[in-house]
Amino acid sequence: MADYDLFVIGGGSGGVACARRAASHGARVAVAEHSRLGGTCVIRGCVPKKLMHYGAHFADMFKVARAYGWDLDEPQLDFERLARARNKEITRLNGIYIAMMEKAGVTVIDGKATIAGRSGDDFIVEVAGRQVSARRVLVAVGASPVLPKMPGIDHVVSSDFVLEEVFPQPERLVVVGAGYIGLELASIFSWLGTDTTVVLRADLPLRGFDEDLRHDLAAQLQLGGLKLKPHAMTECVEKTAHGLVVQTSDGPVEGDMVLFATGRDPMPSTRGLGLESLGVGMNKRGAIHVDEAYESSVPGLYAVGDCSDHAGHAFNASIHDLTPIAIAEGRVVAEALFNDNPHKVFYETTPTAIFSLPQAGAIGLTERDARARGLDVEVYRTRFRPMLQTLPDGQERITMKLVVDKASDKVIGLHMVGGDAAEIVQGFAVAMTAGATKAQFDATVALHPSAAEEFVTMYTPVGG
Ligand code: FAD
């Protein structure tokens, strides 16, 4: 008999979720983790980022406080204190993950695991200087930042550094890349008081998101002080006596710190794992091809989360390389293997947010994607000033947009730019998962006064 029913490589969102669920059904499970249990989300992603976002949010509130009667004498930020407090919380959460696995009866092995080969139907896994056998293997090794090869790349940092280390607040930051991670970190640093510029190749940030969301968020971020340098190809990074210079096709940009947020690939983690010699199929980014049960081309070897191709649903990595997706996929594997309960992840209404200031959020199809699929759609859109901005006479605006399939009347896309977008779109994701129609949105009584009520009070389609 194999040492384990399931060996999980990677103790991040997907690996931990699968291991715990499998153990709860009586499976003998081990997890190998070579960094810290909790993975990207807990250690260097969602959680530290959201804590920094909360830190930055104060600056936004201080700006309007006076109009609401508060006198605040020049509030000062201790940036390093914020970073240390953030790291203390991450250590606490890492401890909770360790305790959670112990309680679930999962064996946690510190070390980098590789698959050494097969022994009959079992897999042989090498970790921490020994070999163990497992009936099945789940690969949940995630993805890592990819830095392009160019002169001076050694001078730059990635999001891992920015969210894990304690360092003096840079006066000037250049962020190269305008996907959601780059944009969030740029916006957070900008509100924390760092003079921040985002260098992007396209005309707008957030490729893959709805055009109105991209346009209106870019405008709002610039109103808040963030600088965008569109249509700029980064050529190299130079170190000078005054800091760093990012040379672009549109001229130089200077900073004290340069952050590259130019994408994340599974390749650094999936390469060298022993997958090639087993014949596991992967795409050119190193993402493992899996079927609807997350089984790879090698029976008994599964993959979930950022290191997989999400069973072909990864049409937009920024929308599906997310913690709740990795968790849902991990649980599907455990339920199918150890509880005779096969089911599928419903990807179509995955809610997603950009934790910039202001925030943005989206569910389902963009207007462009819906039309590209040949759907006859009706679009509803509103732009308005949030009530919070009335007393200070602020310029912030909220954008809300619905994309409705005319044939079925279903709301197939929902997009928002504005405060609390993340909280708002999560609620609407339930309605859209249930297949809510525009008529049902219209029949829903508004909650007044709120921003969210505008989603149920848009009666006239754009151009209608
Ligand atoms: P991971 O969480 O990356 O876990 C993989 C684990 O495997 C790691 O701990 C790694 O150390 C370990 N590992 C790798 N190779 C080996 C090996 N050979 N042996 C042992 N261990 C190994 N998602 C959201 O939903 N919301 C957000 O707001 C959000 N913000 C993000 C912000 C940033 C800056 C980043 C980088 C990501 C963010 N994400 C967010 C994405 C989210 O973190 C990932 O989608 C999620 O963590 C993927 O989970 P996973 O289990 O696939 O991989």
Side-chain angles (χ1 to χ4, degrees):
M1 188 166 76
D3 297 325
Y4 296 104
D5 300 317
L6 176 70
F7 195 100
V8 178
I9 305 181
S13 307
V16 166
C18 181
R20 286 183 70 205
R21 186 59 66 89
S24 78
H25 294 309
R28 295 165 308 130
V29 187
V31 175
E33 171 55 58
H34 71 147
S35 173
R36 296 169 79 190
L37 214 54
T40 302
C41 176
V42 177
I43 310 296
R44 58 190 75 89
C46 333
V47 178
K49 184 259 317 268
K50 188 75 188 280
L51 293 172
M52 300 283 285
H53 177 271
Y54 281 131
H57 186 61
F58 282 94
D60 197 9
M61 294 310 287
F62 291 149
K63 224 174 90 175
V64 295
R66 178 167 283 279
Y68 282 89
W70 290 91
D71 281 323
L72 298 166
D73 297 335
E74 300 224 357
Q76 291 296 314
L77 170 72
D78 183 338
F79 179 83
E80 291 177 50
R81 192 164 86 218
L82 168 63
R84 281 193 300 274
R86 175 201 69 199
N87 288 5
K88 194 170 160 208
E89 173 59 8
I90 300 311
T91 301
R92 188 186 74 84
L93 289 175
N94 173 241
I96 288 177
Y97 269 75
I98 294 168
M100 217 159 58
M101 297 298 260
E102 264 172 28
K103 197 167 161 221
V106 175
T107 304
V108 177
I109 304 173
D110 286 342
K112 186 175 168 73
T114 53
I115 306 169
R118 307 291 298 253
S119 166
D121 285 341
D122 297 340
F123 293 87
I124 302 299
V125 179
E126 225 164 59
V127 60
R130 62 195 174 102
Q131 291 199 336
V132 296
S133 59
R135 188 66 200 85
R136 296 180 178 96
V137 165
L138 174 76
V139 181
V141 293
S144 306
V146 184
L147 301 183
K149 286 191 179 69
M150 67 172 61
I153 198 72
D154 294 346
H155 303 311
V156 316
V157 296
S158 73
S159 58
D160 286 359
F161 176 86
V162 165
L163 291 173
E164 280 186 280
E165 304 298 326
V166 177
F167 52 88
Q169 178 169 12
E171 273 180 35
R172 301 164 304 166
L173 174 70
V174 184
V175 176
V176 177
Y180 84 95
I181 293 175
L183 207 62
E184 287 177 339
L185 292 171
S187 169
I188 288 168
F189 271 87
S190 168
W191 278 98
L192 289 174
T194 294
D195 177 1
T196 308
T197 307
V198 181
V199 175
L200 61 155
R201 283 185 301 193
D203 54 339
L204 289 171
L206 295 173
R207 190 164 58 91
F209 283 83
D210 189 86
E211 292 300 305
D212 284 319
L213 181 152
R214 297 175 73 193
H215 179 274
D216 290 6
L217 182 60
Q220 290 296 312
L221 290 173
Q222 289 176 100
L223 270 179
L226 183 68
K227 296 173 194 155
L228 296 183
K229 195 173 180 59
H231 302 294
M233 300 294 290
T234 302
E235 288 159 356
C236 66
V237 181
E238 291 163 355
K239 196 169 180 147
T240 69
H242 309 291
L244 297 168
V245 181
V246 178
Q247 295 291 358
T248 80
S249 55
D250 191 32
V253 195
E254 287 182 26
D256 305 306
M257 180 181 270
V258 176
L259 163 68
F260 266 57
T262 40
R264 294 171 56 82
D265 271 353
M267 183 78 83
S269 305
T270 51
R271 184 191 285 143
L273 210 56
L275 301 175
E276 291 90 345
S277 47
L278 285 178
V280 175
M282 289 182 261
N283 68 18
K284 60 180 189 318
R285 293 175 55 234
I288 300 169
H289 290 304
V290 288
D291 62 18
E292 295 278 338
Y294 306 103
E295 194 166 23
S296 71
S297 53
V298 172
L301 191 141
Y302 297 77
V304 296
D306 290 5
C307 71
S308 78
D309 73 351
H310 305 286
H313 291 277
F315 64 88
N316 182 347
S318 60
I319 291 179
H320 288 124
D321 281 354
L322 293 170
T323 286
I325 290 289
I327 291 173
E329 293 174 349
R331 287 183 182 153
V332 164
V333 172
E335 286 292 322
L337 292 181
F338 304 109
N339 195 32
D340 196 18
N341 175 26
H343 59 284
K344 287 184 181 167
V345 175
F346 186 63
Y347 291 91
E348 280 71 14
T349 51
T350 302
T352 184
I354 296 106
F355 289 101
S356 48
L357 288 122
Q359 297 180 358
I363 312 165
L365 295 180
T366 66
E367 180 182 348
R368 178 177 288 180
D369 284 343
R371 293 193 196 282
R373 288 184 187 195
L375 296 172
D376 187 9
V377 295
E378 225 161 30
V379 171
Y380 296 78
R381 188 178 53 219
T382 178
R383 294 185 174 100
F384 60 96
R385 180 163 73 170
M387 194 190 268
L388 178 69
Q389 296 297 335
T390 53
L391 299 195
D393 197 19
Q395 288 179 289
E396 190 182 319
R397 295 290 180 272
I398 290 182
T399 301
M400 288 177 175
K401 178 172 180 177
L402 294 176
V403 182
V404 178
D405 173 35
K406 266 190 187 171
S408 63
D409 194 39
K410 276 191 184 168
V411 178
I412 53 172
L414 182 147
H415 309 275
M416 172 174 176
V417 175
D420 297 324
E423 305 296 335
I424 292 170
V425 303
Q426 174 68 89
F428 280 104
V430 180
M432 287 173 63
T433 303
T437 59
K438 180 65 171 68
Q440 288 167 328
F441 269 55
D442 294 343
T444 302
V445 176
L447 190 155
H448 185 74
S450 69
E453 68 180 310
E454 299 293 328
F455 270 128
V456 297
T457 55
M458 284 190 260
Y459 292 120
T460 313
V462 173

